[in-house]
Amino acid sequence: MKKLFVTGIIYICLFILLVAGIFNLGKNFNENISQSDEVAVTAEDIPDSNVESTEVPEETDKLETEKMEDKVIVKGDISEDVTPFNYNTTADKYLLDLCYASLCDMKDRKCISKEVSSSYNKKTDITTFKITLDEEAENVSGHKITADDLLFNYYLRADTGYTEDGGISALPVAGIQEYRYGTRNITSIKKKIAKKLKKPDKRTAFLIRKHIIRPVLEKEYEWVCSLYKQETYDYITDKYPRKKDLFVYFFAYGTNYKTKGKKAEKVINDVIKSYGSDYNKLGKVTGENYKKQAEGIALNVIQSDKKFKFHTMNISGIKKLDDYTISIDVKGNRKRGYINKLGSMYIVSMENWGNRALFNGTDQFGFKRGKAGNILKGKKIAEDETGNYTIQEITDGVYTLQKREEK
């Protein structure tokens, strides 16, 4: 009898667990259906001001590598115009990490600094970073990387004409804003910038279209194309089977633009033209803020005027101490790890990228001030590497890298 009672209790418990499981399964099923419906509704009604992140997801970048004893073959979505200053995909980044050094120890990158120290002055509220290069560091041509090269790299990225990745103008380096504006009276220049952006002249409007509107929308078209590779976005790609139509849906929203009979290239150009130089409108669509970039363009135009006079000739916080050592003064009490922000850039040699005749280390730093963009045109990464590998061959987008011999 006791055995039957226990057996009965066990069956009752199993029954209760079974019912509970069915209930939870049904509940989860309903929740999934509800969530699916909610996503579908959102997808159908996305206004131009609510388009979600338009960054190309890293996982969609194709990257294939083949490692041998002393060689690496890199293939994937490598940009045709990839440089140490301009990179877009995961494959770009991987390639550059192998071929170019930085000043701090980073994964896959060669570190060419021998020593980094920091000290804080409470009275001035300045942290000074002292960076000493390895005297054996050189580019593939055999030219030594010296303190002059470091000055070139920093001033290049601080210049108002620099529009590529990895600028340092946003960092609180002492004197960098005075140098960029060309004067200590920054307020007066800012007023001129605001006026120029409120009603852009032809030059300013052209540069905004060239450096903001066009590159952003061309990259967004690549993002749209990437959606067709992911089942997650079938709900929207099935509705818009042609990529140009989905691009218009996202970025020409509410314009009634028709793509019929037009090639993708024309559609992209037409959408770009529809924005003019209105970077604020573009920002509402992409969810990004392009104000700082536009201000940099306006400042560059102002300084390009022959009547403009530079009163601040260098960055007071960046100094050359000797042939292989520089110091950088940063506002505030910074931890030693802050060097990762100051030194994560790809180091290039002035020998290959700059103009030695335009360098004196005082008011000239390897290029004409305000014209940093000019020296980047047509430059290639081959034969300039400072990192662990050099490029031996490029065939149909496949890069064969040879490991450099250690001295």
Side-chain angles (χ1 to χ4, degrees):
M1 187 72 178
K2 186 175 180 180
K3 186 183 293 186
L4 289 174
F5 175 78
V6 172
T7 304
I9 292 296
I10 292 172
Y11 277 114
I12 290 171
C13 290
L14 289 173
F15 178 77
I16 291 171
L17 289 173
L18 180 61
V19 171
I22 293 171
F23 174 79
N24 286 330
L25 180 63
K27 183 179 179 182
N28 290 336
F29 179 78
N30 289 332
E31 285 177 352
N32 289 336
I33 292 294
S34 176
Q35 289 172 358
S36 177
D37 289 341
E38 184 179 349
V39 171
V41 171
T42 305
E44 296 294 330
D45 302 309
I46 298 178
D48 57 356
S49 61
N50 287 331
V51 176
E52 294 184 2
S53 172
T54 50
E55 290 295 321
V56 179
E58 249 189 29
E59 61 269 23
T60 65
D61 291 335
K62 294 180 181 178
L63 173 60
E64 297 178 47
T65 63
E66 182 182 334
K67 290 190 176 183
M68 291 169 274
E69 186 175 347
D70 58 352
K71 288 186 179 181
V72 173
I73 296 176
V74 181
K75 43 189 171 180
D77 296 328
I78 300 174
S79 305
E80 291 184 6
D81 58 347
V82 60
T83 73
F85 311 101
N86 179 40
Y87 37 93
N88 301 301
T89 69
T90 300
D92 288 348
K93 191 77 166 53
Y94 184 79
L95 178 69
L96 293 172
D97 283 349
L98 293 174
C99 291
Y100 284 90
S102 64
L103 296 178
C104 43
D105 193 11
M106 304 185 75
K107 183 182 178 182
D108 292 329
R109 289 201 212 176
K110 183 177 182 179
C111 176
I112 59 174
S113 63
K114 182 170 64 177
E115 183 182 359
V116 176
S117 62
S118 64
S119 60
Y120 174 65
N121 187 321
K122 189 174 182 180
K123 186 176 180 180
T124 59
D125 192 29
I126 292 288
T127 301
T128 299
F129 290 88
K130 184 179 174 182
I131 304 169
T132 302
L133 285 170
D134 181 350
E135 295 182 17
E136 296 300 317
E138 60 183 25
N139 70 355
V140 72
S141 301
H143 291 94
K144 296 287 186 181
I145 302 298
T146 68
D148 289 348
D149 292 292
L150 295 192
L151 291 181
F152 168 70
N153 276 265
Y154 278 112
Y155 274 90
L156 180 68
R157 291 169 171 86
D159 192 68
T160 56
Y162 184 84
T163 57
E164 305 298 338
D165 300 306
I168 65 165
S169 59
L171 299 179
V173 174
I176 196 168
Q177 294 306 318
E178 290 81 358
Y179 174 76
R180 278 179 60 78
Y181 286 98
T183 177
R184 295 184 184 279
N185 189 2
I186 294 175
T187 303
S188 64
I189 301 296
K190 283 186 174 181
K191 288 180 180 178
K192 291 181 180 179
I193 290 173
K195 184 178 179 180
K196 188 171 284 291
L197 290 179
K198 187 175 182 180
K199 193 176 181 180
D201 54 46
K202 288 184 179 180
R203 178 64 178 166
T204 305
F206 168 77
L207 291 175
I208 289 174
R209 290 194 298 270
K210 179 181 179 181
H211 294 297
I212 300 178
I213 308 297
R214 176 168 289 280
V216 167
L217 287 173
E218 286 179 343
K219 189 174 287 188
E220 300 300 6
Y221 182 76
E222 291 178 8
W223 169 75
V224 166
C225 293
S226 75
L227 300 185
Y228 290 83
K229 305 173 186 177
Q230 304 174 67
E231 293 183 4
T232 309
Y233 296 99
D234 283 351
Y235 68 88
I236 193 73
T237 54
D238 286 347
K239 183 175 181 180
Y240 296 96
R242 295 188 303 183
K243 296 170 184 176
K244 60 182 180 180
D245 291 332
L246 185 54
F247 177 70
V248 166
Y249 171 73
F250 279 124
F251 301 103
Y253 187 88
T255 63
N256 294 319
Y257 179 83
K258 306 297 182 185
T259 65
K260 187 176 181 180
K262 299 171 184 174
K263 293 184 178 180
E265 185 178 358
K266 177 169 176 53
V267 171
I268 295 169
N269 285 328
D270 286 347
V271 172
I272 289 171
K273 288 179 183 178
S274 71
Y275 283 86
S277 60
D278 193 345
Y279 60 90
N280 286 318
K281 178 182 175 182
L282 180 66
K284 290 178 180 178
V285 175
T286 63
E288 300 292 334
N289 190 331
Y290 305 104
K291 184 179 179 182
K292 287 288 183 186
Q293 196 173 348
E295 288 175 342
I297 289 171
L299 175 60
N300 183 252
V301 173
I302 291 171
Q303 292 177 345
S304 297
D305 191 318
K306 292 181 180 179
K307 295 179 181 180
F308 184 87
K309 291 184 178 181
F310 290 99
H311 296 288
T312 308
M313 307 311 293
N314 51 51
I315 303 171
S316 61
I318 301 180
K319 301 181 183 70
K320 175 182 174 180
L321 303 183
D322 60 43
D323 287 345
Y324 291 94
T325 310
I326 69 167
S327 67
I328 303 177
D329 292 338
V330 181
K331 297 175 183 177
N333 188 358
R334 308 289 172 175
K335 295 181 179 179
R336 183 170 177 172
Y338 198 81
I339 187 62
N340 291 327
K341 291 187 177 182
L342 295 171
S344 63
M345 61 184 174
Y346 295 114
I347 303 298
V348 301
S349 64
M350 181 163 49
E351 194 71 35
N352 291 78
W353 292 85
N355 185 341
R356 176 66 68 172
L358 294 177
F359 183 92
N360 61 20
T362 304
D363 58 3
Q364 291 184 308
F365 299 93
F367 58 95
K368 189 174 181 180
R369 189 167 178 176
K371 304 294 183 181
N374 290 346
I375 70 170
L376 305 180
K377 294 177 181 177
K379 294 287 185 179
K380 303 296 182 183
I381 62 178
E383 299 184 359
D384 179 64
E385 299 87 351
T386 56
N388 292 315
Y389 288 82
T390 60
I391 295 175
Q392 294 295 298
E393 183 182 0
I394 306 173
T395 308
D396 297 327
V398 177
Y399 289 68
T400 302
L401 312 183
Q402 176 72 46
K403 191 172 182 62
R404 295 183 67 184
E405 293 183 7
E406 295 292 337
K407 287 192 174 183

